Amino acid sequence: EASTAKSPDNDIVIALQADATHLDPHVSSNGVSNQVTNEMYETLLTFDEDTNVVPLLAKEWSVSEDGKSYTFVLNEGIKFHDGEPFNAESVRAVYGLKDSSLTLQRTINAWEDVVVDSEYQVTIKLKEPNNTFINKITQFRIVSPKAMAMENASDYLAKNSAGTGPFVLSERVDGGYTK
């Protein structure tokens, strides 16, 4: 029988098989952590219910004839949880992270550059054509440049959210719960 219990503060409550190991989307790499961070952070593109790639933070994209440049036109008026605006510089800032311990490093190693074409248009240039790029970009979560620039950014992101997703982290208790 399904429960009709309602959270007193109207939060969504779900049970997961384990605790999230880290909530920095550039560090977390296990399924449970990703389930949580996917609600706080968004990507340029995502999958619909039929597994078609569809726009999310980007409203459209195109690919160069040589398959090495992907241009994204971004949605306007989006803000990160910390109040910073989402724009092309936000995408460029994530590319600027150069830390081999970050799980996203495997993705951006194949990139040659990220060019800010305008405030809401960005081109990602690849070193060589890569037929997995679009799939990988659906997993490339965008984080507020302000949060990433903090001295202890990963520690901050373990306890705070700085994404554009529908849910904002309010509390985290290791081994207990994430709210």
Side-chain angles (χ1 to χ4, degrees):
E1 182 177 319
S3 172
T4 57
K6 185 176 178 184
S7 169
D9 52 7
N10 210 26
D11 290 341
I12 184 170
V13 178
I14 60 169
L16 299 172
Q17 70 273 22
D19 190 23
T21 57
H22 208 294
L23 296 182
D24 178 345
H26 301 148
V27 173
S28 64
S29 62
N30 69 32
V32 175
S33 298
N34 289 341
Q35 283 181 290
V36 175
T37 58
N38 284 344
E39 302 308 320
M40 297 182 292
Y41 298 93
E42 295 177 310
T43 56
L44 295 175
L45 306 175
T46 191
F47 292 103
D48 68 12
E49 63 277 355
D50 296 319
T51 66
N52 298 306
V53 177
V54 294
L56 187 56
L57 289 174
K59 61 182 171 184
E60 62 186 70
W61 74 96
S62 60
V63 184
S64 64
E65 242 181 75
D66 66 3
K68 291 171 51 175
S69 294
Y70 290 75
T71 300
F72 297 89
V73 177
L74 308 176
N75 286 303
E76 298 178 26
I78 297 172
K79 293 212 180 280
F80 289 99
H81 300 154
D82 63 7
E84 291 294 305
F86 165 74
N87 55 33
E89 288 292 346
S90 308
V91 179
R92 174 110 176 104
V94 176
Y95 171 70
L97 294 173
K98 301 295 183 194
D99 181 343
S100 61
S101 70
L102 301 177
T103 55
L104 89 136
Q105 196 66 45
R106 294 186 300 261
T107 298
I108 63 178
N109 280 341
W111 299 7
E112 183 176 293
D113 198 8
V114 175
V115 178
V116 173
D117 303 317
S118 69
E119 186 173 6
Y120 293 103
Q121 182 172 304
V122 63
T123 300
I124 299 175
K125 296 184 176 198
L126 306 180
K127 294 176 183 172
E128 58 189 35
N130 183 334
N131 64 354
T132 66
F133 175 77
I134 289 293
N135 181 58
K136 290 188 182 301
I137 208 74
T138 66
Q139 302 163 41
F140 189 79
R141 296 177 203 94
I142 308 295
V143 177
S144 165
K146 180 180 173 184
M148 289 187 305
M150 293 179 158
E151 189 171 323
N152 294 314
S154 193
D155 292 339
Y156 173 81
L157 292 170
K159 303 281 185 192
N160 300 275
S161 59
T164 58
F167 293 95
V168 178
L169 180 68
S170 65
E171 186 178 6
R172 167 107 172 104
V173 176
D174 288 338
Y177 61 90
T178 301
K179 183 175 177 180

